[in-house]
Every structure is written in C-alpha cells, then in structure tokens.
Amino acid sequence: MFSATANDLRYSLRALLARPGFSAVAVLTLALGIGANTAIFSVMHGLFLAPLPYAHGERLVDVYNTYPTSSLQYAGTSIPDYLDRREQAQSLEDLALYTGANLNLAEDGQPPERLVGLRATPSLFSTLSSGAALGRVFDERHAEPGQDKVAVISHALWRNRFNADPGVIGRSLRLSGETYQVIGVMPEDFGFPSRETQLWVPFAFTPEQRGDFERGNEYSQSIGRLRKGATIAQLDAELDAIVARNAERIAGIGGLDPAMAEQAARFAEFLRGGNFTGRAQSLRELQVGETRPLVLILQGAVALVLLIAAANVANLLLARMVSRQKELSVRNALGASRGRIARQLLSESLIVALAGGAAGLLLALGLIELLPRLGLDAAVGRYPITLDLPVLGFALAVSIATGLLAALVPVVSLFRSDLARQINDAGRIGGGGRVAGASRNLLVVAQMALATALLVGAGLLLRSFVSLQQESPGFEPGGTLTAQLALPGNRFPDTASRARLLDEVLREARALPGIEHAAWTSSLPFANSNSQGSYSIDGLEVADASASPHANQRQISDDFFASLRIPLLQGRTFTPGDHGEAEPVVVIDQLLAEKYFKDQPAIGQRIRRGRDAPWATVVGVVGTVKHGSLRDTPGKETIYWPHRQNLGGFGALVLRGPNALAPDTADALRTALGRVDAELPLFNVLSMQQRIALSLDTQRAPMNLVGGFAGVALLLSAIGIYAVLAFSVSQRTGELGVRMAIGAGRREILGLVLGHGARLVAIGLGIGVGLALMLGQLAKAQLFGVAPWDPLTFVAVPPLLAAIALLACWLPARRAARIDPLVALRYE
C-alpha cells in the first residue's frame, strides 16, 4: 500500500512538472484562498482559542458592579465592594483591584514623560500567578498609606528607558512629584491589563475609602481567580447574597442620628429593590469585547474566497482530466481500476493544495503585517498574532481539505462516466462528455453565487461606513487639536489649586499664534474615557427602592463649548465668575432637558450630585453630543460642571484656531506647558478628526478586508468562467467549424458561446442574491443606517459583477467567432 502511494505521488509530481503553466495557476489560486484564511484564523486563534498568558487563565474573571434599573450594565468596582467580595465570595480563590494611574516621570535633563501605569492591590500578582523576572513584586506591606511608594516596571520600560540595567532595582524615580523606589522588573511576556502598561504601583486604601460611604465610587476594576471547579453562575449567586447581607447590615446603621438613619434606610431599600448587584464574566470575554462578530465576519468572507478558489482548481483539474481522456481510457483498458485512477487524480490535487498552502503561508505573513494598517489593530492590540503551531496546523488541515474538495468533482465525474466510450462521447459532445460539462457548469454557477454574496456583503459594509461617516457627533471636529494631560493630585490636592494651575495652562495655550479657543474637559469625546454618576433633581421624588437618575458627568472650562462648537440652546455657558466661592451652577444637555423638563423651563432648575452636595442651578442647555461612537444613539444625558467649582486631576485640552493643526503647534504647546510646570507631560496628541477616525476602526476593518477579499473573489470567478468557456471552445472547435461550414455566421457563433456563459452567470447571480439576503441578516448588527436588503446595493452590485463576468465570456466567444471553418474541419 505504501509503495503504491509513493508511486502515485512520484507519478503525480512528474505529471504536474510536465505542465508547469497549469501547476502554477492552480498553486497561486489556492495560495490566495489558503493564505487569506490562515491570516484571519491567526487573529481568531489569538483572540478566542489560544490560552491566556497566565497560569490557568480560563479561571480568571472580571468582577464588576451593575445597575440593572439604570441601564448601566458595567460600572467598575468600588473599594468596599472589592473588600466584601474578597472576604465573602467562596468561589474566588483570589481577587485584586486595579485602576489606571497616569504617572508623570521627570528626570534631570530629560523632558517629562507620561507613563501608562496601573495602581493595583498586591493580590494582582498572586491572582495572575505572575512574579518578577528581576527583583520582586510588592506585597501586603506596601498596601498601607505611606508604605506604597514602590514600583514594578515592565520589561519594555526597563529595556528602552533604562537600557536593561540590572542596577535599576533600588533606583529612585520621581513620579508625579513623588519619589518611588523600583523593586522589580516583570517578565517580557507579562502585560496586564494590556501590553502598553509600563509600571505597577500599590493601591493603598485609606480608612475612609474602606467605609460604606465610598460605595458607588466605582473608578476601579477587579479581576479574580475562580477556585477549581467553581463556575461564574455560582459566583454571581454569591455576589447577590453579599448585596442582600449588606442591605440588612446598612439598614441598622445610624444609631441616634436621624439623618444618618434615614439615609442608611433609603440605601438599604435601594439595594433590596434590585437596583444594584455584582456580576462576573471571563477575562477573555472582557478583553475581546465586540471583536468577536467582526472576526467571525472576516473568517466567513475568506471561507467564501477559499471555496471559490477550490472551485477554480476543481475546474482546472476537470479540464486536465478531460484532456487526458485517451490516456485514462487506455490505462483502464490495460487493467487500471477506477479507484487507482481516482487515487492518481487525488494525489495530483493534494500536491497542488500542499504547494498552495506553502505559498499561502508566505501570503499570510504579509497579511498579518498589513492587518493593523487596515484598521484591525484596535481589535487585536492586546494579543500577539503570529503563525504559531496551531495556526500552521490549521493551514495544513485547510490545504488537505481544499485538495480533497477540489478533487471531488473530477473523481465523481470519473466514476459516473463510461471510460470505454469517453473518446467517442468527447468527440461528439465536446469538453469531455455530458458529465464533465455539467460539472464544469455547476462549478461556475457556484463561483458566481459565492462571489455575488461576498460582493453584496462588501457593498453593504461600504454603504454602512459612508452612512456612519456622515453622522454628526453633535459638534464640529474640524480644526481642533486635542491633547491629554494629568494634574498630579499630590502636588495639587484640591479643586482650587488645580483650577489655578489649569487657568495658567489655558492662558498660555490661548496666547499661541493662531489659537482662538483653548479649553479643558475631564472626559474628551472619542478618547476612550468617561465619567458617570447618579444625581438628584430638586422636586423630583424617587422612591426608596428605585434608582436615582444617572448621567455622564463632565468638568469643563469656560471655553469648552466654543472650542468644539457645541450649540448653546438656552441660557448661557460658564464664565470666570463661576468660581469656587460663587453660587454652584451647571449646564445640561438637550437630552436631560427633554427627559425631565419637557413641560417646563430648564433654566433655573436645580441639580446636585450626591445627597450631601450643594444644589447647583441650571444656567444653560446645550446640544447632545456623541461620546464614544458615531453609531451610538445617545441614551444617557450629560451634565457639565464648571472646573473652578469641581475639578479632578485628569482630562484633555482642546485647541481651535487657524493654526491649531499646524505641524509645530503641539511642540509650541509643550513649551508653553513647561513654562507653567516643568513636570507636566502632554500626551496622546491628536486632532479630533483623527480620534473620530480611530473610533471607526471596528467598522473600517471589515469594510476594507471584506472589500479586498470580494475583489479577489470577483477576479477568481471571472478567471473561472473564462477558463471554462475557453476550454469549451477549444474542445468544440470541430463542432463549431461544421456549424460555420453549413452556414452559421460569426454572429450566431458569438451568440452561441456568449449565451452559454450568460445563462451560467444569470443562474449564479440569482442564487448569489438569495444567499446575500440570508448573510445580510447575519451581519445586520454590523450595519449602520443600511438595511440588510438595501435596494441600492442589490441593484448596483449584481450588474457590475455581470458586466465583468460577461466580459470574461466575450473573450472566448470572440475567439470562437473567428474560427476558420477549413482549419476547424482539418482539426476535427
């Protein structure tokens, strides 16, 4: 058996080398399909299948707060909630809390640099089962205020900033105005929560942060490790039980203080009303997020390309089998069984497929490098995408499967034919007989149908992307430069000191040439930052068991609305008179005004954040803006507070003016910032239009990639129908010569061949449109402003494909019409 197989392979290889043109076309055709599938599968494997880079990563979960009645499904975690769960959740083996830390590194002689940091409890490293590669990680001793000025740095920061110096352990760093000691360097492959994180510092809780009044202050995230055998459902049930116990405990707080007792009772009733609980999800689900449907769409698209490529190669193999009809008949007459001949055809197909797979791997390497430029980087940035062993195994499996699939039609055609009568049948009918001809026609129809579905899908995504780009964000992004900035809380501990610093920064920015407006906001639209919170409206009664209104919360400077040209609809915006000693004021957006003040004036209403905060008077109503994505319909209102009355430490600058986007403006702004405070770095400097463009990556990536694959499918389909008709013409040369000899004109011959091709194209288009309608429903969630049955797309794409396909039909038809009858009869 082994000897026979080896002989088949040797004979097949010689036969393929004897026809280098056929072999090269078949190999390159499969390389396109296999390479594209391998590249996209490498993304799918990295995101969904490869083990997380932590020991027993499948047991890691994200634990978070949720407010079901406030439409706030994911709210982070507060410190007391974390402490409750670490002590009481039996399904958790370990639990850690972490939050972003914007740390400004300042060293003598070097400009300040913003480091991407993480403030984390020491349990982060035990939860992830990770230790330091050099030195050590921090422990519980460092989780106390005053003992927390130590840092663990990433391998990349150690290599790039400190030249991989082992002496960095024990070195002092000035971070945001305070001195930290480096105690460890993490391994090269460690990166949590992303590979961009550069250092980790301890999260030390104050006694106030541990108390019940800190509940609801959810600026952190929590990661846990399930005990062996525990499930997320069990953990969710335990989180519900913790909330129930807290409700009973808090209901008894207050003692002799009536006000505190009333507040505790209201909060306990709020908890009992199902307005708040905790939930868990797998860490992979958290990190992959909305990427799953995107990658599945791309994998489906390249699978269609591979099917078209396989159909093309099947047609080539079928044509080659027909051209070898005499040889195969003679071999059959000499005793070779159909099985032996089929094995020979299968060997040739597998050799072609494996060669195509090898060439496809080279193509896949190039595609993987190209994917970030096509918009997929935002989706896969957390995971290394490489051609590792599982991906190589996938490429091998796909190559073998494609070889078997491509050989299927020729082999079936072989077993359904009578080899003894093939020569006569081929001469009488042309093209190798009825079975072979029907098989070729079926393959062409399949190619056209798949290409139609893919092209319609690409058209829908293109129309969706264009519709999305035309969507207004609620402000004018053109002509604005933005940059993020962190104000160190240790050097500027209160609103007054931060406001004075910020006012100086804004004065310097407005003084730059060609800058008309300079403003600050705590949360910049399309910058992946947000702040939300509950609030109260004077006169609006909320039942004890119901949730308070919930809104996006922004701290802004006077010039913010003018900088982004957010329209003022009622009242006024902020002025320098809205300082810390003045009456508290607030500006709301149109969504809030229509939701709660539809039948009364919004100006003069009072709002406050928190039950103990002073009431702030509404002095203005502005237009509603989109914050994170152009495809979102704003469903949560926004409240704007003046920065002199309420200011945190992190936010962004917005500059507008004729020179805002000039090449030297960012450097001039850094210089101006240095005059105010030499330790404040400017980072993430982008125009607002660039930020919006980055937010469109999840729509741009499938459009670019599916469009590219659809182009490949169209090319393969056109080549396929051309090859079938050209082969048919060559096989029917004698027949066509006879027709012309007895009076058929060139027009009739042209119509005969063109009509054959047109029928195949029409059937394929019809089936493809039906398939596109079904696939459009599956991709409905990825479309914006376009229906899955969009008339314009379905009217425009099929005629375009038909025109290209008919051009491919016309070329062999023209060749047939130019046949000389005498030459054709001599050929016969």
Side-chain angles (χ1 to χ4, degrees), residues 34-347:
I34 295 172
N37 273 269
T38 302
I40 299 302
F41 178 78
S42 69
V43 176
M44 179 178 286
H45 179 262
L47 288 177
F48 310 133
L49 304 176
L52 292 171
Y54 314 105
H56 303 291
E58 72 281 357
R59 288 161 52 195
L60 294 175
V61 292
D62 177 62
V63 184
Y64 59 94
N65 292 349
T66 181
Y67 295 81
T69 59
S70 299
S71 299
L72 183 60
Q73 298 304 315
Y74 190 98
T77 305
S78 72
I79 292 173
D81 290 323
Y82 155 73
L83 294 173
D84 289 342
R85 292 160 186 172
R86 191 177 185 195
E87 294 171 3
Q88 301 177 42
Q90 298 302 309
S91 294
L92 289 173
E93 183 178 287
D94 210 342
L95 186 67
L97 190 74
Y98 62 93
T99 187
N102 296 286
L103 298 171
N104 303 331
L105 174 62
E107 294 190 312
D108 293 338
Q110 298 189 47
E113 177 184 357
R114 183 257 188 176
L115 298 181
V116 181
L118 199 73
R119 198 173 300 279
T121 58
S123 56
L124 176 70
F125 302 103
S126 58
T127 299
L128 297 176
S129 296
S130 300
L134 186 66
R136 59 190 175 91
V137 298
F138 43 81
D139 54 37
E140 294 298 334
R141 294 172 299 170
H142 302 112
E144 297 295 328
Q147 306 297 317
D148 57 340
K149 297 302 182 285
V150 296
V152 176
I153 64 176
S154 70
H155 194 278
L157 181 65
W158 176 58
R159 182 183 63 246
N160 299 332
R161 181 82 187 206
F162 303 107
N163 299 316
D165 179 14
V168 74
I169 304 299
R171 179 172 173 173
S172 295
L173 300 180
R174 184 168 175 78
L175 300 174
S176 298
E178 294 187 295
T179 301
Y180 284 73
Q181 185 183 46
V182 178
I183 62 172
V185 177
M186 294 304 292
E188 187 171 5
D189 60 351
F190 181 84
F192 184 86
S194 72
R195 289 180 287 173
E196 285 71 39
T197 307
Q198 296 171 288
L199 80 165
W200 297 262
V201 296
F203 200 161
F205 306 149
T206 64
E208 292 77 15
Q209 288 177 317
R210 296 172 179 268
D212 285 323
F213 286 103
E214 187 72 9
R215 297 185 190 277
N217 201 359
E218 296 150 331
Y219 55 87
S220 306
Q221 289 179 272
S222 184
I223 180 174
R225 178 179 291 276
L226 292 173
R227 293 189 186 278
K228 189 174 182 180
T231 66
I232 289 179
Q234 291 173 338
L235 177 57
D236 284 345
E238 292 171 4
L239 298 177
D240 288 338
I242 291 172
V243 173
R245 286 195 293 270
N246 278 336
E248 297 305 316
R249 178 181 59 80
I250 292 173
I253 294 177
L256 299 178
D257 186 341
M260 182 176 292
E262 180 184 0
Q263 185 175 350
R266 289 172 64 93
F267 185 56
E269 195 62 28
F270 171 82
L271 296 179
R272 293 191 187 108
N275 299 291
F276 167 85
T277 190
R279 283 292 175 262
Q281 62 180 327
S282 70
L283 179 62
R284 186 185 293 278
E285 192 65 31
L286 170 72
Q287 295 183 338
V288 169
E290 298 179 355
T291 305
R292 187 183 303 276
L294 161 63
V295 178
L296 292 178
I297 285 175
L298 295 179
Q299 193 68 66
V302 295
L304 293 182
V305 172
L306 183 60
L307 288 175
I308 294 172
N312 240 335
V313 173
N315 249 331
L316 289 172
L317 291 172
L318 191 59
R320 177 169 166 76
M321 186 187 77
V322 170
S323 68
R324 299 166 63 190
Q325 206 69 260
K326 293 182 181 180
E327 171 204 339
L328 298 179
S329 297
V330 170
R331 291 181 64 187
N332 180 247
L334 294 176
S337 66
R338 289 177 185 267
R340 181 63 185 272
I341 295 174
R343 199 166 67 224
Q344 183 69 54
L345 295 175
L346 186 60
S347 298

Side-chain angles (χ1 to χ4, degrees), residues 280-509:
Q281 62 180 327
S282 70
L283 179 62
R284 186 185 293 278
E285 192 65 31
L286 170 72
Q287 295 183 338
V288 169
E290 298 179 355
T291 305
R292 187 183 303 276
L294 161 63
V295 178
L296 292 178
I297 285 175
L298 295 179
Q299 193 68 66
V302 295
L304 293 182
V305 172
L306 183 60
L307 288 175
I308 294 172
N312 240 335
V313 173
N315 249 331
L316 289 172
L317 291 172
L318 191 59
R320 177 169 166 76
M321 186 187 77
V322 170
S323 68
R324 299 166 63 190
Q325 206 69 260
K326 293 182 181 180
E327 171 204 339
L328 298 179
S329 297
V330 170
R331 291 181 64 187
N332 180 247
L334 294 176
S337 66
R338 289 177 185 267
R340 181 63 185 272
I341 295 174
R343 199 166 67 224
Q344 183 69 54
L345 295 175
L346 186 60
S347 298
E348 292 183 15
S349 179
L350 286 175
I351 290 175
V352 168
L354 290 173
L361 287 177
L362 298 178
L363 177 63
L365 284 172
L367 282 175
I368 289 173
E369 293 297 322
L370 192 61
L371 289 178
R373 301 181 186 180
L374 295 175
L376 204 59
D377 189 51
V380 301
R382 294 177 182 269
Y383 298 89
I385 306 302
T386 59
L387 295 182
D388 53 11
L389 284 177
V391 176
L392 293 176
F394 170 82
L396 177 61
V398 166
S399 300
I400 294 173
T402 305
L404 295 173
L405 184 63
L408 180 63
V409 174
V411 169
V412 170
S413 177
L414 173 69
F415 275 91
R416 293 184 62 187
S417 301
D418 185 350
L419 286 176
R421 293 184 296 181
Q422 280 297 312
I423 300 175
N424 292 332
D425 195 25
R428 186 171 63 254
I429 299 173
R434 293 185 178 87
V435 175
S439 299
R440 289 196 300 274
N441 293 340
L442 181 63
L443 290 171
V444 167
V445 168
Q447 285 180 292
M448 291 302 301
L450 294 174
T452 301
L454 198 50
L455 281 166
V456 169
L460 289 173
L461 290 174
L462 176 60
R463 290 262 294 140
S464 174
F465 188 75
V466 171
S467 177
L468 195 59
Q469 284 186 310
Q470 294 172 346
E471 189 73 8
S472 171
F475 57 88
E476 295 183 20
T480 56
L481 181 72
T482 66
Q484 291 183 307
L485 182 67
L487 308 177
N490 56 326
R491 293 197 292 126
F492 305 96
D494 53 36
T495 291
S497 60
R498 287 192 289 269
R500 285 192 296 270
L501 173 69
L502 184 56
D503 284 338
E504 291 185 48
V505 169
L506 293 176
R507 275 195 298 270
E508 290 284 348

